[in-house]
Amino acid sequence: MEKSTHSMKDLFAQLGLPNGDEDIAAFIKAHSPLPEFIKLPDAPCWTTAQSAFLREELAEDADWAEVVDQLNAALRGR
């Protein structure tokens, strides 16, 4: 089965966050750089539900995992 492709805008909408280009850029700027020792789902910027979603998607290598990895890289300045 082919995995779905989600955009960063889709991910922010899924997380219940504003998902315009400027909103995403502002979020990344406000929460960067995320230290390497903090796993993305454990970052203090997430609600419990957001953290659980991120953790599940990464653990299951689900269809959201690729864009979650992109967000992780963006928050770490990569």
Coordinates of all heavy atoms in Angstrom, one line a residue:
M1 N 0.8 -1.2 0.0 CA 0.0 0.0 0.0 C 0.9 1.2 0.0 O 1.8 1.4 0.8 CB -0.9 0.0 1.2 CG -1.9 1.1 1.3 SD -3.0 0.8 2.7 CE -3.9 2.3 2.6
E2 N 0.6 2.2 -0.8 CA 1.4 3.4 -0.9 C 1.0 4.4 0.2 O -0.1 4.5 0.6 CB 1.1 4.1 -2.3 CG 1.9 5.3 -2.5 CD 1.7 5.9 -3.9 OE1 1.5 5.1 -4.9 OE2 1.8 7.1 -4.0
K3 N 2.1 4.9 0.8 CA 1.9 5.9 1.9 C 1.4 7.2 1.3 O 1.7 7.6 0.3 CB 3.2 6.1 2.6 CG 3.6 4.9 3.4 CD 4.8 5.3 4.3 CE 5.2 4.1 5.1 NZ 6.3 4.4 6.1
S4 N 0.5 7.9 2.1 CA 0.1 9.2 1.8 C 1.2 10.2 1.9 O 2.1 10.0 2.7 CB -1.1 9.6 2.7 OG -2.2 8.8 2.6
T5 N 1.1 11.2 1.2 CA 2.1 12.3 1.3 C 1.4 13.5 1.9 O 0.4 14.0 1.4 CB 2.7 12.7 -0.1 OG1 3.2 11.6 -0.7 CG2 3.7 13.8 0.0
H6 N 2.0 13.9 3.0 CA 1.4 15.1 3.7 C 2.4 16.2 3.7 O 3.6 16.0 3.7 CB 1.1 14.7 5.2 CG 0.1 13.6 5.4 ND1 -1.2 13.8 5.1 CD2 0.3 12.3 5.8 CE1 -1.9 12.7 5.4 NE2 -1.0 11.8 5.7
S7 N 1.9 17.4 3.7 CA 2.7 18.6 3.6 C 2.9 19.1 5.1 O 2.2 18.7 6.0 CB 2.1 19.7 2.8 OG 0.9 20.2 3.4
M8 N 3.7 20.1 5.2 CA 3.9 20.7 6.5 C 2.6 21.4 6.9 O 2.2 21.4 8.1 CB 5.1 21.7 6.5 CG 5.5 22.3 7.8 SD 6.4 21.1 8.8 CE 8.0 21.0 8.0
K9 N 1.9 22.0 6.0 CA 0.6 22.7 6.3 C -0.3 21.7 6.8 O -1.1 21.9 7.7 CB 0.1 23.3 5.0 CG 0.8 24.6 4.6 CD 0.1 25.3 3.4 CE 0.8 26.6 3.1 NZ 0.0 27.4 2.2
D10 N -0.4 20.5 6.2 CA -1.3 19.4 6.7 C -0.9 19.0 8.1 O -1.8 18.8 8.9 CB -1.1 18.2 5.8 CG -1.6 18.4 4.3 OD1 -2.4 19.3 4.1 OD2 -1.1 17.6 3.4
L11 N 0.4 18.9 8.4 CA 0.8 18.5 9.7 C 0.4 19.5 10.7 O -0.2 19.2 11.8 CB 2.3 18.3 9.8 CG 2.9 17.9 11.1 CD1 2.3 16.6 11.7 CD2 4.4 17.8 11.1
F12 N 0.6 20.8 10.5 CA 0.2 21.8 11.4 C -1.3 21.8 11.6 O -1.8 22.0 12.8 CB 0.7 23.2 11.0 CG 2.1 23.5 11.4 CD1 3.2 22.8 11.0 CD2 2.3 24.5 12.4 CE1 4.5 23.0 11.5 CE2 3.6 24.8 12.9 CZ 4.7 24.0 12.4
A13 N -2.1 21.6 10.6 CA -3.5 21.5 10.7 C -3.9 20.3 11.6 O -4.8 20.4 12.5 CB -4.2 21.4 9.3
Q14 N -3.2 19.2 11.3 CA -3.5 18.0 12.1 C -3.2 18.2 13.6 O -3.9 17.7 14.5 CB -2.6 16.8 11.6 CG -2.8 15.5 12.3 CD -4.2 14.9 12.0 OE1 -4.8 15.2 11.1 NE2 -4.6 14.0 12.9
L15 N -2.2 19.0 13.9 CA -1.8 19.3 15.2 C -2.7 20.4 15.9 O -2.5 20.7 17.0 CB -0.3 19.7 15.3 CG 0.7 18.6 15.0 CD1 2.1 19.3 14.8 CD2 0.7 17.6 16.1
G16 N -3.6 21.0 15.1 CA -4.4 22.0 15.6 C -3.8 23.4 15.7 O -4.2 24.2 16.5
L17 N -2.7 23.6 14.9 CA -2.0 24.8 14.9 C -2.3 25.6 13.6 O -2.6 25.0 12.6 CB -0.5 24.5 14.9 CG 0.0 23.8 16.2 CD1 1.5 23.3 16.0 CD2 -0.1 24.7 17.4
P18 N -2.1 26.9 13.7 CA -2.3 27.7 12.5 C -1.3 27.2 11.4 O -0.2 26.9 11.7 CB -1.9 29.1 12.9 CG -2.1 29.2 14.4 CD -1.8 27.8 14.8
N19 N -1.8 27.1 10.2 CA -1.0 26.4 9.2 C -0.7 27.2 7.9 O -0.3 26.6 6.9 CB -1.6 25.0 8.8 CG -2.9 25.2 8.1 OD1 -3.6 26.2 8.2 ND2 -3.3 24.2 7.3
G20 N -0.7 28.5 8.0 CA -0.3 29.3 6.9 C 1.3 29.3 6.9 O 1.9 29.0 7.9
D21 N 1.8 29.7 5.7 CA 3.3 29.7 5.6 C 3.9 30.6 6.6 O 4.9 30.2 7.2 CB 3.7 30.2 4.2 CG 3.3 29.2 3.1 OD1 3.2 28.0 3.4 OD2 3.2 29.6 1.9
E22 N 3.4 31.8 6.9 CA 3.9 32.7 7.9 C 3.8 32.1 9.3 O 4.7 32.3 10.1 CB 3.3 34.0 7.8 CG 3.7 34.8 6.5 CD 3.0 36.1 6.4 OE1 2.3 36.6 7.3 OE2 3.2 36.8 5.3
D23 N 2.7 31.4 9.5 CA 2.5 30.8 10.9 C 3.5 29.7 11.1 O 4.0 29.6 12.2 CB 1.0 30.2 10.9 CG 0.0 31.2 10.8 OD1 0.0 32.3 11.4 OD2 -1.0 31.0 10.0
I24 N 3.7 28.9 10.1 CA 4.7 27.8 10.3 C 6.1 28.3 10.5 O 6.8 27.9 11.4 CB 4.6 26.9 9.0 CG1 3.3 26.1 9.0 CG2 5.8 25.8 9.1 CD1 3.0 25.4 7.7
A25 N 6.5 29.3 9.7 CA 7.8 30.0 9.8 C 7.9 30.6 11.2 O 9.0 30.4 11.8 CB 8.0 31.0 8.7
A26 N 6.9 31.2 11.7 CA 7.0 31.9 13.0 C 7.1 30.8 14.1 O 7.8 31.0 15.1 CB 5.7 32.7 13.2
F27 N 6.4 29.7 14.0 CA 6.4 28.6 15.0 C 7.9 28.1 15.0 O 8.4 27.9 16.1 CB 5.4 27.5 14.6 CG 5.4 26.4 15.6 CD1 4.6 26.4 16.7 CD2 6.3 25.3 15.5 CE1 4.6 25.4 17.6 CE2 6.3 24.3 16.4 CZ 5.5 24.3 17.5
I28 N 8.4 27.8 13.9 CA 9.8 27.2 13.8 C 10.8 28.2 14.4 O 11.6 27.8 15.2 CB 10.1 26.8 12.4 CG1 9.2 25.6 12.0 CG2 11.6 26.5 12.2 CD1 9.3 25.2 10.5
K29 N 10.6 29.5 14.1 CA 11.5 30.5 14.6 C 11.4 30.6 16.1 O 12.4 30.7 16.8 CB 11.3 31.8 13.9 CG 12.2 32.9 14.4 CD 11.9 34.2 13.7 CE 12.9 35.3 14.1 NZ 12.7 36.5 13.5
A30 N 10.2 30.5 16.6 CA 9.9 30.7 18.0 C 10.5 29.5 18.9 O 10.8 29.7 20.0 CB 8.5 30.9 18.3
H31 N 10.5 28.3 18.3 CA 10.9 27.1 19.0 C 12.2 26.5 18.6 O 12.5 25.4 19.0 CB 9.7 26.1 18.9 CG 8.4 26.6 19.5 ND1 8.2 26.8 20.8 CD2 7.3 27.1 18.8 CE1 7.0 27.3 21.0 NE2 6.4 27.5 19.8
S32 N 13.0 27.2 17.9 CA 14.3 26.8 17.4 C 15.4 27.5 18.2 O 15.2 28.6 18.6 CB 14.4 27.0 15.9 OG 13.6 26.2 15.2
P33 N 16.5 26.9 18.3 CA 16.8 25.5 17.9 C 16.4 24.6 19.0 O 16.6 24.9 20.2 CB 18.3 25.6 17.7 CG 18.8 26.6 18.7 CD 17.7 27.7 18.7
L34 N 15.9 23.5 18.7 CA 15.6 22.4 19.6 C 16.8 21.7 19.9 O 17.5 21.1 19.0 CB 14.5 21.5 19.0 CG 13.9 20.4 19.9 CD1 13.2 21.1 21.2 CD2 12.9 19.6 19.2
P35 N 17.2 21.6 21.2 CA 18.5 20.9 21.6 C 18.4 19.4 21.1 O 17.3 18.8 21.2 CB 18.5 21.0 23.1 CG 17.7 22.2 23.4 CD 16.6 22.2 22.4
E36 N 19.5 18.9 20.7 CA 19.6 17.5 20.3 C 19.2 16.5 21.3 O 18.7 15.4 21.0 CB 21.0 17.2 19.8 CG 21.4 17.8 18.5 CD 20.6 17.4 17.3 OE1 20.2 16.2 17.2 OE2 20.3 18.3 16.4
F37 N 19.3 16.8 22.6 CA 19.0 15.8 23.6 C 17.5 15.7 23.9 O 17.1 14.8 24.6 CB 19.8 16.1 24.9 CG 19.4 17.4 25.6 CD1 18.3 17.5 26.5 CD2 20.1 18.6 25.3 CE1 18.0 18.6 27.1 CE2 19.7 19.8 25.9 CZ 18.7 19.8 26.8
I38 N 16.7 16.6 23.3 CA 15.3 16.6 23.5 C 14.6 16.0 22.2 O 14.8 16.4 21.1 CB 14.7 18.0 23.7 CG1 15.2 18.6 25.0 CG2 13.1 17.9 23.7 CD1 14.7 20.1 25.2
K39 N 13.9 14.9 22.4 CA 13.2 14.2 21.3 C 12.1 15.1 20.9 O 11.4 15.8 21.8 CB 12.7 12.9 21.7 CG 13.8 11.9 22.0 CD 13.2 10.5 22.4 CE 14.4 9.6 22.7 NZ 13.9 8.2 23.0
L40 N 11.8 15.2 19.6 CA 10.7 16.0 19.1 C 9.4 16.0 19.9 O 8.9 17.0 20.3 CB 10.5 15.8 17.6 CG 9.4 16.7 17.0 CD1 9.8 18.1 17.0 CD2 9.0 16.2 15.6
P41 N 8.9 14.8 20.2 CA 7.6 14.7 20.9 C 7.7 15.2 22.4 O 6.7 15.5 23.0 CB 7.3 13.2 20.9 CG 8.0 12.6 19.8 CD 9.3 13.4 19.7
D42 N 8.9 15.3 22.9 CA 9.1 15.8 24.3 C 9.4 17.3 24.4 O 9.5 17.8 25.5 CB 10.3 15.0 24.9 CG 10.0 13.5 25.0 OD1 8.9 13.1 25.1 OD2 11.0 12.8 25.0
A43 N 9.4 17.9 23.3 CA 9.6 19.4 23.3 C 8.5 20.1 24.1 O 7.3 19.7 24.0 CB 9.7 19.9 21.9
P44 N 8.8 21.1 24.8 CA 7.9 21.8 25.7 C 6.8 22.6 24.9 O 5.8 23.0 25.5 CB 8.7 22.7 26.5 CG 10.0 23.0 25.7 CD 10.2 21.7 24.9
C45 N 6.9 22.7 23.6 CA 5.9 23.5 22.8 C 4.6 22.7 22.5 O 3.7 23.3 22.0 CB 6.5 24.0 21.6 SG 7.2 22.7 20.5
W46 N 4.6 21.4 22.8 CA 3.5 20.6 22.4 C 2.5 20.4 23.6 O 2.9 20.3 24.8 CB 3.9 19.2 22.0 CG 4.9 19.2 20.9 CD1 6.2 18.6 21.0 CD2 4.9 19.8 19.6 NE1 6.9 18.8 19.8 CE2 6.1 19.6 18.9 CE3 3.9 20.5 18.9 CZ2 6.3 20.0 17.7 CZ3 4.1 21.0 17.7 CH2 5.3 20.7 17.0
T47 N 1.2 20.2 23.3 CA 0.3 19.8 24.3 C 0.4 18.3 24.4 O 1.2 17.6 23.6 CB -1.2 20.0 23.8 OG1 -1.5 19.2 22.6 CG2 -1.4 21.5 23.5
T48 N -0.2 17.7 25.4 CA -0.1 16.2 25.6 C -0.6 15.5 24.4 O 0.0 14.5 23.9 CB -0.9 15.8 26.8 OG1 -0.4 16.6 28.0 CG2 -0.8 14.4 27.1
A49 N -1.7 15.9 23.8 CA -2.3 15.3 22.6 C -1.3 15.4 21.4 O -1.1 14.4 20.6 CB -3.6 15.8 22.3
Q50 N -0.7 16.6 21.2 CA 0.2 16.8 20.1 C 1.4 15.9 20.3 O 1.9 15.2 19.3 CB 0.6 18.2 20.0 CG -0.5 19.2 19.6 CD -0.1 20.6 19.8 OE1 0.6 21.0 20.7 NE2 -0.8 21.5 19.0
S51 N 1.9 15.8 21.5 CA 3.1 15.0 21.7 C 2.8 13.5 21.5 O 3.6 12.8 20.9 CB 3.5 15.2 23.2 OG 4.6 14.4 23.5
A52 N 1.6 13.1 21.9 CA 1.2 11.7 21.7 C 1.1 11.4 20.2 O 1.6 10.3 19.7 CB -0.1 11.4 22.4
F53 N 0.5 12.3 19.4 CA 0.4 12.1 18.0 C 1.8 12.0 17.3 O 2.0 11.0 16.6 CB -0.4 13.3 17.4 CG -0.4 13.2 15.9 CD1 -1.2 12.4 15.2 CD2 0.5 14.1 15.1 CE1 -1.2 12.3 13.8 CE2 0.5 14.0 13.8 CZ -0.3 13.1 13.1
L54 N 2.7 12.9 17.7 CA 4.0 12.9 17.1 C 4.8 11.6 17.5 O 5.4 10.9 16.6 CB 4.8 14.1 17.5 CG 4.3 15.4 17.0 CD1 5.0 16.6 17.8 CD2 4.5 15.6 15.5
R55 N 4.7 11.2 18.7 CA 5.3 9.9 19.2 C 4.8 8.7 18.4 O 5.6 7.9 18.0 CB 5.1 9.8 20.7 CG 5.9 8.7 21.3 CD 5.9 8.7 22.8 NE 6.8 9.8 23.3 CZ 6.4 10.9 23.8 NH1 5.1 11.2 23.9 NH2 7.2 11.8 24.2
E56 N 3.5 8.6 18.3 CA 2.8 7.5 17.6 C 3.3 7.4 16.1 O 3.6 6.4 15.6 CB 1.3 7.6 17.7 CG 0.7 7.2 19.0 CD -0.8 7.4 19.0 OE1 -1.4 7.4 18.0 OE2 -1.3 7.7 20.1
E57 N 3.2 8.6 15.5 CA 3.5 8.6 14.1 C 5.0 8.2 13.8 O 5.3 7.4 12.9 CB 3.3 9.9 13.5 CG 1.8 10.3 13.5 CD 0.9 9.3 12.9 OE1 1.1 8.9 11.7 OE2 0.0 8.8 13.6
L58 N 5.9 8.6 14.6 CA 7.3 8.3 14.5 C 7.5 6.8 14.8 O 8.2 6.1 14.1 CB 8.2 9.2 15.3 CG 8.3 10.6 14.9 CD1 9.0 11.5 15.9 CD2 9.0 10.7 13.5
A59 N 6.9 6.3 15.9 CA 7.1 4.9 16.3 C 6.6 3.9 15.3 O 7.2 2.9 15.1 CB 6.4 4.7 17.7
E60 N 5.5 4.3 14.7 CA 4.8 3.4 13.7 C 5.3 3.6 12.3 O 4.9 2.9 11.4 CB 3.3 3.5 13.8 CG 2.7 3.2 15.1 CD 1.2 3.5 15.2 OE1 0.6 3.8 14.1 OE2 0.7 3.4 16.3
D61 N 6.2 4.6 12.1 CA 6.7 4.9 10.8 C 5.5 5.1 9.9 O 5.4 4.7 8.8 CB 7.7 3.9 10.2 CG 8.5 4.5 9.0 OD1 8.6 5.7 9.0 OD2 8.9 3.7 8.2
A62 N 4.5 5.8 10.4 CA 3.2 6.0 9.8 C 3.3 7.0 8.6 O 4.4 7.6 8.4 CB 2.1 6.4 10.8
D63 N 2.2 7.2 7.9 CA 2.2 8.1 6.8 C 2.6 9.5 7.1 O 3.0 10.3 6.2 CB 0.9 8.0 6.0 CG -0.3 8.4 6.7 OD1 -0.3 8.4 8.0 OD2 -1.3 8.7 6.1
W64 N 2.5 9.9 8.3 CA 2.9 11.3 8.8 C 4.4 11.4 9.1 O 4.9 12.5 9.3 CB 2.1 11.7 10.0 CG 0.6 12.0 9.7 CD1 -0.4 11.2 9.9 CD2 0.1 13.2 9.2 NE1 -1.6 11.8 9.5 CE2 -1.3 13.0 9.1 CE3 0.6 14.4 8.8 CZ2 -2.2 14.0 8.6 CZ3 -0.2 15.4 8.3 CH2 -1.6 15.2 8.2
A65 N 5.0 10.2 9.2 CA 6.4 10.2 9.7 C 7.4 11.1 8.9 O 8.2 11.8 9.5 CB 6.9 8.8 9.8
E66 N 7.2 11.1 7.6 CA 8.2 11.8 6.8 C 8.1 13.3 7.0 O 9.1 14.0 7.2 CB 7.9 11.6 5.3 CG 8.9 12.3 4.4 CD 8.7 11.9 2.9 OE1 8.1 10.9 2.6 OE2 9.1 12.7 2.1
V67 N 6.9 13.9 7.1 CA 6.7 15.3 7.4 C 7.1 15.6 8.8 O 7.6 16.7 9.1 CB 5.4 15.8 6.9 CG1 4.2 15.4 7.8 CG2 5.4 17.4 6.8
V68 N 6.8 14.7 9.8 CA 7.3 14.9 11.2 C 8.8 15.0 11.2 O 9.3 15.9 11.9 CB 6.7 13.8 12.1 CG1 7.3 13.9 13.5 CG2 5.2 13.9 12.2
D69 N 9.5 14.2 10.4 CA 10.9 14.2 10.4 C 11.4 15.6 9.8 O 12.4 16.1 10.2 CB 11.5 13.1 9.5 CG 11.5 11.8 10.2 OD1 11.4 11.7 11.4 OD2 11.5 10.7 9.5
Q70 N 10.6 16.1 8.8 CA 11.0 17.4 8.2 C 10.8 18.5 9.3 O 11.7 19.4 9.4 CB 10.1 17.7 7.0 CG 10.4 16.8 5.8 CD 9.3 17.0 4.8 OE1 8.5 17.9 4.8 NE2 9.4 16.1 3.8
L71 N 9.8 18.4 10.1 CA 9.6 19.4 11.2 C 10.7 19.3 12.2 O 11.2 20.3 12.6 CB 8.2 19.2 11.8 CG 7.9 20.1 13.0 CD1 8.0 21.6 12.6 CD2 6.6 19.8 13.6
N72 N 11.1 18.1 12.5 CA 12.2 17.9 13.5 C 13.4 18.5 13.0 O 14.1 19.2 13.7 CB 12.4 16.4 13.7 CG 13.4 16.0 14.7 OD1 13.5 16.7 15.8 ND2 14.2 15.1 14.4
A73 N 13.7 18.3 11.7 CA 15.0 18.9 11.1 C 14.9 20.4 11.1 O 15.9 21.1 11.4 CB 15.2 18.4 9.7
A74 N 13.7 21.0 10.8 CA 13.5 22.4 10.7 C 13.7 23.0 12.1 O 14.3 24.1 12.3 CB 12.2 22.8 10.2
L75 N 13.2 22.4 13.2 CA 13.3 22.9 14.5 C 14.7 22.8 15.1 O 15.1 23.5 16.0 CB 12.4 22.2 15.4 CG 10.9 22.6 15.3 CD1 10.0 21.6 16.1 CD2 10.7 24.0 15.8
R76 N 15.5 22.0 14.4 CA 17.0 21.8 14.9 C 17.9 22.6 14.0 O 19.1 22.5 14.1 CB 17.3 20.3 14.9 CG 16.5 19.6 16.0 CD 16.9 18.2 16.1 NE 15.9 17.4 16.8 CZ 15.8 17.4 18.1 NH1 16.6 18.0 18.9 NH2 14.9 16.6 18.7
G77 N 17.3 23.3 13.0 CA 18.2 24.1 12.1 C 18.9 23.4 11.1 O 20.0 23.8 10.6
R78 N 18.4 22.2 10.7 CA 19.1 21.4 9.7 C 18.6 21.7 8.3 O 17.5 22.0 8.0 CB 18.9 19.9 10.0 CG 19.5 19.5 11.3 CD 19.3 18.0 11.4 NE 19.5 17.6 12.8 CZ 18.9 16.6 13.4 NH1 18.1 15.8 12.7 NH2 19.1 16.3 14.7

